[in-house]
Amino acid sequence: MTTELNDLEAQLETLRQEAKNAIATSNTLEQLEQLRIGYFGKKGQMSQILGSMGKLAADRRPKIGAIANIIKEAIATELDNKRTSLQSAQIQAKLEAETIDVTMPGVYRPQGKIHPLNGVIDRALDIFVGLGYTVATGPEIESDYYNFEALNTPPDHPARDMQDTFYLPDAKLLRTHTSSVQIRYMENHEPPIRIVAPGRVYRRDTVDATHAAVFHQIELLAVDEGLTFTDLKGTIKEFLRQMFGQDLPIRFRASYFPFTEPSAEVDLQWQGRWLEVLGCGVVDPNVLKAVGYDPEKYTGFAAGFGVERFAQVLHKIDDIRRVYTSDLRFLRQF
Ligand code: DAH
């Protein structure tokens, strides 16, 4: 009996020692959990030892039971302490891994910018969309009909001299203005019409500080019953007010375009100087007839302006050629 008792006591003592070492050297929470199962699980060592207590004489059981409890407590405490320290080590490691050193030099990411020409186009379109206009576009390679003839400019018309044209071999041409979009749009739509048409245009001009062979225009067209020159004036005035951010003095100067009657050019007083900013007028009845509209029923107004011109004025760009180079020192300013 005493031997058995001593035997169990020794087993428990050994278990305590082994557990102490094993727990101390375990270094993950998973390992620790495996140890716990090994000691306290259903088939664990502790259960086995306690199971064999049944063989002891009844009067011995309390003593060995007491010892077993103390050892059980001791191992459980070791397990708890180790779990706590492994958990906090895990949190600590995570915190260290996720630390951001704000003193490290940053990674340089070059940021793109809107090109000054696109900036002007975006702004102008925004304003007209706000006034109820729809954006329309047309082809850059055009026929004589859409670029000139339907716009009341027959082949022998002297106004063709106003726009030196690049002609292509197959009787086509590079459009000299966005006014061609007026015809294309009206051919496919019925009034009321309110469109704004941005696009690239081409002229056989000698390139200098204010002229380019390829440049951009924005076209405006409204056709409806009862539209008058007053509607045109109001629209242009509001557009310029929003574009320049203030109510600047403007004047409508009589001019001539084959596709409008009457025609006008608009000047704007900007930083003490009068600048010509756009051409406009009441749509000529011949243009309405060309697309099959009844000029007795409908009237309209139109306008066209150069995007480069606006960019030059708004951004004080001295030479138009700068906006076509890819010089980042220039482009970064906008
Ligand atoms: N197409 C003209 C040009 O390129 C500009 C223009 C003037 C457009 C009067 C219009 C307009 O729509 O009514 O010079």
Side-chain angles (χ1 to χ4, degrees):
M1 277 307 198
T2 317
T3 343
E4 277 173 15
L5 180 68
N6 287 344
D7 210 34
L8 272 181
E9 231 187 294
Q11 277 183 39
L12 283 166
E13 193 50 47
T14 311
L15 179 63
R16 188 226 280 265
Q17 277 312 321
E18 278 176 12
K20 196 173 170 170
N21 291 337
I23 291 167
T25 54
S26 74
N27 42 35
T28 67
L29 287 165
E30 292 72 32
Q31 268 178 21
L32 201 64
E33 178 60 9
Q34 287 310 315
L35 290 176
R36 190 191 63 77
I37 294 168
Y39 304 137
F40 299 136
K42 259 190 192 161
K43 293 176 185 161
Q45 285 171 274
M46 189 54 101
S47 317
Q48 278 173 19
I49 294 171
L50 294 178
S52 55
M53 270 174 65
K55 294 180 198 146
L56 293 175
D59 61 336
R60 302 288 190 191
R61 284 181 206 156
K63 188 184 174 208
I64 203 78
I67 294 171
N69 269 337
I70 291 167
I71 289 178
K72 198 175 159 184
E73 283 292 312
I75 295 176
T77 308
E78 301 264 359
L79 281 170
D80 274 354
N81 291 345
K82 186 70 180 187
R83 183 179 308 110
T84 310
S85 82
L86 282 177
Q87 275 168 345
S88 68
Q90 204 177 49
I91 290 169
Q92 194 58 34
K94 205 171 165 198
L95 281 176
E96 270 162 30
E98 288 173 5
T99 300
I100 295 168
D101 181 354
V102 292
T103 64
M104 290 268 285
V107 182
Y108 172 64
R109 294 186 206 280
Q111 203 183 10
K113 287 195 166 186
I114 304 287
H115 191 277
L117 292 181
N118 283 325
V120 168
I121 294 172
D122 288 352
R123 226 165 110 186
L125 296 189
D126 253 15
I127 295 169
F128 284 116
V129 166
L131 295 174
Y133 284 70
T134 302
V135 177
T137 53
E140 291 172 24
I141 295 175
E142 262 302 2
S143 64
D144 191 272
Y145 179 76
Y146 289 105
N147 197 80
F148 291 122
E149 230 162 302
L151 287 161
N152 198 31
T153 321
D156 57 352
H157 199 288
R160 289 209 179 194
D161 287 352
M162 289 163 77
Q163 303 181 357
D164 264 339
T165 311
F166 285 116
Y167 288 95
L168 300 172
D170 53 357
K172 298 262 165 144
L173 50 80
L174 294 176
R175 69 176 177 195
T176 57
H177 51 187
T178 43
S179 303
S180 52
V181 182
Q182 292 189 24
I183 304 300
R184 287 191 173 271
Y185 193 87
M186 284 192 286
E187 272 187 353
N188 294 307
H189 297 82
E190 285 299 312
I193 282 174
R194 277 171 185 56
I195 55 159
V196 57
R200 202 174 288 158
V201 300
Y202 302 81
R203 301 261 175 106
R204 247 187 57 213
D205 268 338
T206 308
V207 176
D208 63 22
T210 52
H211 293 87
V214 184
F215 57 102
H216 301 77
Q217 284 189 338
I218 293 180
E219 190 81 13
L220 197 71
L221 174 69
V223 181
D224 207 340
E225 288 181 47
L227 287 183
T228 66
F229 197 88
T230 309
D231 299 308
L232 167 65
K233 265 184 108 169
T235 305
I236 297 300
K237 213 167 161 358
E238 178 57 16
F239 163 63
L240 293 174
R241 189 185 68 78
Q242 289 194 38
M243 199 68 190
F244 287 84
Q246 50 185 304
D247 227 339
L248 296 166
I250 58 173
R251 66 185 180 200
F252 283 71
R253 195 163 29 75
S255 182
Y256 175 78
F257 299 101
F259 30 89
T260 43
E261 181 59 37
S263 303
E265 277 175 295
V266 178
D267 300 335
L268 171 101
Q269 200 171 46
W270 173 247
Q271 295 169 344
R273 287 203 303 149
W274 283 104
L275 300 169
E276 183 190 315
V277 288
L278 57 82
C280 61
V282 171
V283 179
D284 193 290
N286 285 339
V287 174
L288 298 177
K289 275 188 217 152
V291 296
Y293 289 179
D294 178 0
E296 296 298 322
K297 186 171 179 198
Y298 297 114
T299 53
F301 61 80
F305 57 90
V307 173
E308 279 77 356
R309 187 67 199 270
F310 272 75
Q312 278 193 282
V313 172
L314 284 168
H315 297 300
K316 298 193 181 122
I317 300 169
D318 59 348
D319 191 325
I320 199 174
R321 287 166 289 195
R322 290 190 200 280
V323 300
Y324 304 117
T325 64
S326 302
D327 188 340
L328 291 178
R329 293 169 307 170
F330 171 75
L331 293 172
R332 281 203 180 108
Q333 303 175 92
F334 304 101

